Amino acid sequence: SREAHIDFSGFPAKDFSGNWNKLSFKPAKIDKNIVLDGSFNQAFQIVLASEGGFANHRADRGGATIYGIASKSNPKEYDMIMHQLARGDKEGAMQTTMSVYKTKYWDQVSGIDKMSPSARLVAFDAAINHGVGFTNKMVKLTGADADAMIDYRSQKYASIIERDASQAVFEK
């Protein structure tokens, strides 16, 4: 299976830990020449760099988010992370975030461990943004080909924006 070209040129070419709340773990370096290893840990760091810290965009249907954990789809986990941060427990908040991403998204994508590294990243990000049901359907329809999944997601975004132009701010 050939690897898709994923352009990371929009990411900083340095450690991104300083870009969101100075978390105390060692993040991967994200640059346009990153070599994907297919691991959950690397995918988590890449997705987290994209999701950022706290956001409460008025057009976001998921409500307020912390590290990409949406208050509407994961209310208990969102509250737990916010309480951990309020107590100054950034490490605990990051561990909770990592656990949510692993158990509710990564582990729920059918066949993720059999995919190419780039396909794993695309599928993982899709599960977070579009849900596991959508992602498993996409994986099946595309044969887990990273390029085909990117095209499928692009069509999904176009469809969402066609129905509601306010969602264009979230187009990836």
Side-chain angles (χ1 to χ4, degrees):
S1 150
R2 75 183 170 84
E3 284 295 301
H5 171 72
I6 299 177
D7 182 7
F8 290 102
S9 59
F11 285 95
K14 58 183 178 18
D15 288 349
F16 56 81
S17 60
N19 292 344
W20 29 267
N21 298 341
K22 297 185 180 179
L23 299 171
S24 61
F25 68 100
K26 297 277 187 188
K29 287 191 175 194
I30 307 294
D31 65 34
K32 65 182 178 180
N33 298 313
I34 191 170
V35 176
L36 298 176
D37 64 16
S39 71
F40 166 75
N41 287 338
Q42 185 187 54
F44 171 73
Q45 293 174 26
I46 291 168
V47 167
L48 198 59
S50 174
E51 294 292 344
F54 179 79
N56 193 10
H57 194 284
R58 64 182 174 185
D60 192 339
R61 295 175 182 166
T65 63
I66 184 68
Y67 306 131
I69 304 298
S71 58
K72 287 186 180 176
S73 56
N74 294 292
K76 290 180 200 174
E77 295 88 346
Y78 173 87
D79 287 345
M80 180 184 297
I81 294 165
M82 293 301 283
H83 283 101
Q84 288 168 316
L85 291 172
R87 291 191 317 265
D89 184 9
K90 292 179 183 177
E91 187 68 31
M94 189 49 48
Q95 289 302 318
T96 301
T97 302
M98 184 180 268
S99 176
V100 171
Y101 276 131
K102 178 79 166 83
T103 60
K104 288 190 142 188
Y105 301 102
W106 182 271
D107 290 346
Q108 302 306 312
V109 175
S110 296
I112 197 164
D113 293 329
K114 296 175 185 142
M115 294 178 195
S116 70
S118 56
R120 289 177 189 190
L121 179 58
V122 174
F124 178 49
D125 187 60
I128 294 162
N129 287 284
H130 303 298
V132 173
F134 167 86
T135 301
N136 285 331
K137 176 182 175 185
M138 174 186 71
V139 166
K140 185 176 180 181
L141 290 173
T142 63
D145 177 81
D147 285 332
M149 289 193 294
I150 290 169
D151 290 344
Y152 194 84
R153 288 185 73 190
S154 294
Q155 293 170 15
K156 171 74 171 176
Y157 282 119
S159 172
I160 291 168
I161 293 165
E162 186 177 306
R163 288 190 314 273
D164 182 353
S166 73
Q167 299 303 295
V169 298
F170 303 112
E171 188 172 21
K172 290 191 176 199

